[in-house]
Amino acid sequence: MTAIVASTKDKSDALPIIFGAVIVAGLLGFLAAPFFSKAVRFFPPVVTGTVITLIGVSLLPVAFGWAQGPDPRRTTTVRAPTSAWRRRPSSSSWSSAASPAASSNK
């Protein structure tokens, strides 16, 4: 949800987009439920319990890292990428040798 908010230019459009995404995900889950209910017989409780336990154990280092808090020696914070990565540089900053059109003409 935070990715949707970060990617929208007008923040007032973010909440309806999130609501729409939740509705679509609910409908897809409702349509997929009959197929997954038939597949449940192939996964006994021993298998599902083992898989969930392994996922939890593999996430323990992440949980301990979050519980410790940020590294006090680190001077900068890591931020989530914004929509700036989608912006292309202006055409004047591209050299003619690096452009695809210039290389195809050779």
Side-chain angles (χ1 to χ4, degrees):
M1 288 187 257
T2 56
I4 293 173
V5 173
S7 67
T8 57
K9 291 180 182 175
D10 187 13
K11 300 301 179 199
S12 64
D13 291 339
L15 200 55
I17 293 171
I18 292 171
F19 287 159
V22 169
I23 290 170
V24 169
L27 290 174
L28 289 176
F30 185 73
L31 293 174
F35 302 110
F36 285 106
S37 67
K38 293 176 183 167
V40 167
R41 65 183 171 125
F42 297 114
F43 303 104
V46 172
V47 173
T48 56
T50 304
V51 169
I52 291 172
T53 302
L54 288 174
I55 291 171
V57 169
S58 68
L59 289 175
L60 278 175
V62 176
F64 288 135
W66 285 1
Q68 290 175 355
D71 187 4
R73 295 173 290 177
R74 188 176 217 168
T75 58
T76 59
T77 58
V78 178
R79 295 179 184 242
T82 61
S83 60
W85 63 272
R86 287 192 230 156
R87 283 189 237 130
R88 292 185 56 140
S90 64
S91 60
S92 62
S93 66
W94 289 93
S95 68
S96 62
S99 71
S103 62
S104 64
N105 292 335
K106 291 182 181 178

